[in-house]
Amino acid sequence: MFDDRSSLSRTPHHAVALDCLEAAIEAAAPDRAAREAVARDGETLRVGDSEYDLTAYREVVVVGGGKASVGVARVITEVLDDRLTGGVVVAEHPDTLDTVSVRVGDHPVPSERTVTATAAVLETVRAADASTLVLFVVTGGASALLTAPAGDLSLADLRATTTGLLESGAPIEAVNAVRKHLSAIKGGQLARLAAPATVVTFALSDVVGNDLSVVGSGPTVPDETTYADTLDVLDRYDVAVPAAVRTHLEAGAAGDVRETPGVGDAAFDRAETHLVGTNSEALESAAAAAADAGYDPLLLTSRLRGPARHVGPTVLSVAEEIAATGNPVSPPAVVVAGGETTVTIDGGGGRGGPNQELALAVALELDGPAVFAAVDTDGEDGSSDAAGAMVDSETVPDGERRRANEALRGHDAGGYLDGVAATLYTGPTGTNVNDVVVVVIPEP
Ligand SMILES: O=C(O)[C@H](O)CO
């Protein structure tokens, strides 16, 4: 899985770290997750605990978007091959599916082709009526890959706002509150457009805590955020936006633009959402891989969040406690954690992403035989093409501390870590359930 640009596994402990990460990413494969959630028995479609009578529908379409949308959609097309009448999903890379067209968009900042691809999704949804079953796939990255500017807003307005939000360090809930209110598809609006069709959503979550209204900005899920909230977000995180964006949000807050549909709105009368894959499942597989290798696993949390450079040393402190006291697990042990940390670009800005920043912050403090690795399960950490990094006590030798510190401060963790062969590369993995961190703690 890790290609030859990745740091080589130097000791059995490095090899265990890589095995755990690999197990996590494999468990999160969208087709694997979807296969567990979807089944067909004649004219009955089963998704999780729900059943849908296919004879009730004349048309069955698949629409959606996100980095892992094709993997989920593929399973649906296989299960419903004789019943599907069409559909469109928007992904980051070209691919093909039977009956459903795969359009390519851009992430994390939307582009012209993203808007064109999303228009095809909207066209399919607008054509739906009460006799249509709309199977909607949403996975991480959908907020960028499904882009339809609201009202008179332009793509340039959305691009500038997206960049400002992503660099502000605001949590994804706040980022998506704003994106929902600048969009004609997010925040439940796709369900509103599809009504009275039945809408069944398949969500693969890359959001800490799996709030379905946040995953891909919840196009088919009730939205409890408001225009007024979005103005608070811009103020709190000091995000500068184009004048047209502020005007639109202020008009919404004044009640002059229709609010996104919330809980109880008729848009959701015939909409159901199923969570088909999560970060926790990936972490459980990583922990199982550690146990198979003879290490005592500690699945710490699937809710890591906060600034990457602070979170890394906090996870390390748990590993230090284990090494020193055997509490709460005895070495050899592996700490497994997941979630999504943030980087606030406050000047500087080189190569890297949260996982590389987290790993470099750890490397600066790591003293002892532990091995620490962190990756984004989609294979693309932040805006870099590395998945993450694996570090140990030799990653930052004494003579290099100043250079490593400067790289961390200047958001060039990738630059430093690449130079010492500590970055990990997988290429795009086709899935996206957030970040996974492992710390291997050898026997004393
Ligand atoms: O697309 C998005 O909004 C993020 O990946 C969270 O799902």
Side-chain angles (χ1 to χ4, degrees), residues 330-346:
S330 303
V334 175
V335 176
V336 178
E340 185 169 52
T341 58
T342 46
V343 168
T344 307
I345 306 288
D346 42 10

Side-chain angles (χ1 to χ4, degrees), residues 316-331 441-442 444:
L316 179 64
S317 74
V318 175
E320 288 168 351
E321 187 67 27
I322 290 170
T325 67
N327 179 31
V329 290
S330 303
I441 307 136

Side-chain angles (χ1 to χ4, degrees), residues 150-172:
D152 294 335
L153 295 172
S154 67
L155 172 62
D157 292 331
L158 263 50
R159 285 175 62 85
T161 308
T162 305
T163 304
L165 285 165
L166 296 180
E167 292 186 349
S168 72
I172 191 69

